[in-house]
Amino acid sequence: MVHRPRIHLIATGGTIAGTAPDPTDTRNYTAGTLTAEELIASIPPLKDLAEISVEQLYNLDSKDMTPDHWLGLARATQAALDRQDVDGVVITHGTDTMEESAWFLHLTVRSEKPVVMTGAMRPANHPQADGPGNLQAAVRLATEPRRTGVWMTMNGATMTARAATKSHTSGLNAFAHHADCQDFTTLRGRFSGVVPNSWPRVDILMAYAGAPTDLIDACVCHGARGLILALAGHGSIPANWRPALQRARAVGLTILRGSRCAGPVWRGQNAEPEFLATGDLPPAKARVLLMLSVAAGLDATDLASILASLNQEKP
Ligand code: SIN
């Protein structure tokens, strides 16, 4: 007998499970109020697509996700993927930090089965809610046996965990590719099994006209082990930041040059060769990679080759 695809749905909250007192108001609502069971029950066509088991892992607004939540999500996802009676995993998640969780899962989960994340820009009780369509698309994608790796689907677009970013605050098509790349294999599961006693602190510092250097010293004072610099343009370091950055490097911080703009930052042969660069990872995703690298005890040489493998450049 041919069985229907078996999908395990892990619910973590977000607008897809949110409700508004005024259903047409997309500005005032509470994310993560419906349970996964209620969400599934409100979308009858789902049961025609797959046999769905449900796990309510969290019910959060994703701005409140922490690295410990990422770890819990990775464990739940791996446990589901390892089950013989599960063909794929769907994760509902707030859109605000979905890309960070997706990238963490890409780096930590090992499986050939699909993992598809989705969310919504409008709360569940909105008359034109986008969640039901997004969730059906996610379940459909997760039933495709060849769709290995971690994916995100929103508003009819399907993106890799590596390339997707939220690029608009409120539009239905809020997600875009930050990288011109469909790579879904490099570094997949590279950090599986990394379970730190406590997460290394890695901060993101944005450059802006007149940005003070004491923010760099403050990160060092508060125990940061790494810094991601969201710099202007192609990662240009303000001249007045250099002494503080050198002090930070001298006490062992790993520092990556990135940009506050869309587009990649490459490690320069001429410009700033002593600093690693984020390549095509936006600052929040570069931070996830650096946290895992520090937690795994990797040194700057290891990290350089990891970044190079991701960006197919010389370490
Ligand atoms: C959230 O990220 O949890 C709230 C916003 C959203 O899901 O779109």
Side-chain angles (χ1 to χ4, degrees), residues 40-200:
I40 300 277
S42 70
I43 314 172
L46 279 177
K47 66 177 181 324
D48 299 328
L49 298 176
E51 221 173 89
I52 301 178
S53 54
V54 172
E55 177 175 354
Q56 185 78 52
L57 185 64
Y58 313 124
N59 215 353
L60 286 174
D61 187 313
S62 76
K63 66 177 164 46
D64 296 321
M65 286 270 172
T66 64
D68 286 335
H69 290 111
W70 295 340
L71 200 54
L73 180 57
R75 284 187 174 138
T77 305
Q78 188 69 63
L81 291 168
D82 290 344
R83 278 170 44 186
Q84 292 210 336
D85 62 346
V86 167
D87 299 312
V89 168
V90 167
I91 300 170
T92 51
H93 197 290
T95 62
D96 286 349
T97 67
M98 192 193 294
E99 69 206 63
E100 285 163 75
S101 297
W103 182 232
F104 185 89
L105 292 179
H106 172 87
L107 294 170
T108 56
V109 164
R110 277 184 198 270
S111 176
E112 297 302 310
K113 296 177 189 172
V115 176
V116 186
M117 300 185 73
T118 195
M121 297 302 293
R122 292 174 175 160
N125 63 337
H126 189 283
Q128 282 97 37
D130 53 333
N134 288 342
L135 189 49
Q136 287 173 73
V139 169
R140 249 187 232 108
L141 289 164
T143 64
E144 292 175 10
R146 289 181 204 281
R147 188 166 286 283
T148 296
V150 182
W151 299 82
M152 291 161 64
T153 185
M154 289 288 294
N155 197 40
T158 302
M159 294 157 277
T160 61
R162 160 88 184 276
T165 193
K166 188 170 183 180
S167 58
H168 194 274
T169 54
S170 51
L172 286 183
N173 59 347
F175 280 79
H177 290 97
H178 61 74
D180 184 19
C181 117
Q182 278 297 308
D183 174 21
F184 60 90
T185 55
T186 308
L187 300 184
R188 182 151 52 93
R190 167 69 175 78
F191 294 92
S192 73
V194 173
V195 183
N197 290 331
S198 64
W199 285 100

Side-chain angles (χ1 to χ4, degrees), residues 214-272:
D214 51 12
L215 295 178
I216 299 165
D217 293 319
C219 293
V220 175
C221 271
H222 285 281
R225 307 276 304 280
L227 290 179
I228 306 294
L229 307 180
L231 299 162
H234 187 260
S236 304
I237 296 178
N240 69 329
W241 278 25
R242 287 178 186 282
L245 290 176
Q246 294 308 347
R247 283 196 292 280
R249 278 163 60 89
V251 295
L253 272 75
T254 305
I255 302 175
L256 267 64
R257 281 171 53 239
S259 179
R260 62 186 201 180
C261 301
V265 174
W266 305 120
R267 193 175 180 191
Q269 296 303 315
N270 304 320
E272 323 291 359

